[in-house]
Amino acid sequence: MSIGNRVMRELGDVMRTGAGRVLDNEYADGFNTSANICVSVLSNAIDGLLAKIKSGDYLSAQEQALLSRLTELKAEMEEGLRNFWESEPTGGQ
């Protein structure tokens, strides 16, 4: 193989690797943003109920059940997001 062909192949490899890193960073940013949005929705609902308790008000039985379920859902979502992030990619690379 000529030096010119080898250089062109090396440049192509470097460009693909660089482009892959940009896409990986974009993917990571999008995943983090989406995960934060989802967890924040649950956190805000939980915080609203906790603020009611801190203000001295009692939660109704329905609100207590809701607080419990929201807390469980938040923990499940965080675990699922963490497991997905830590899993091995399945794409063809």
Side-chain angles (χ1 to χ4, degrees):
M1 170 181 333
S2 74
I3 272 229
N5 287 341
R6 205 164 88 204
V7 167
M8 291 303 289
R9 190 172 63 173
E10 290 293 324
L11 281 173
D13 289 346
V14 167
M15 289 179 69
R16 276 190 296 281
T17 301
R21 284 189 190 127
V22 169
L23 290 175
D24 288 346
N25 289 340
E26 292 294 322
Y27 175 84
D29 290 345
F31 178 86
N32 286 333
T33 299
S34 299
N36 286 332
I37 289 169
C38 293
V39 173
S40 291
V41 167
L42 293 173
S43 293
N44 291 340
I46 291 167
D47 291 346
L49 292 169
L50 293 176
K52 185 174 179 180
I53 294 170
K54 289 179 184 175
S55 73
D57 291 337
Y58 293 101
L59 296 181
S60 68
Q62 185 178 7
E63 289 171 320
Q64 290 175 26
L66 178 61
L67 177 58
S68 177
R69 186 61 184 137
L70 288 172
T71 302
E72 291 170 352
L73 286 172
K74 182 177 176 242
E76 290 172 24
M77 183 177 290
E78 289 171 332
E79 181 182 4
L81 290 166
R82 189 172 29 260
N83 288 342
F84 175 81
W85 186 252
E86 294 171 353
S87 68
E88 289 295 319
T90 58
Q93 286 190 353

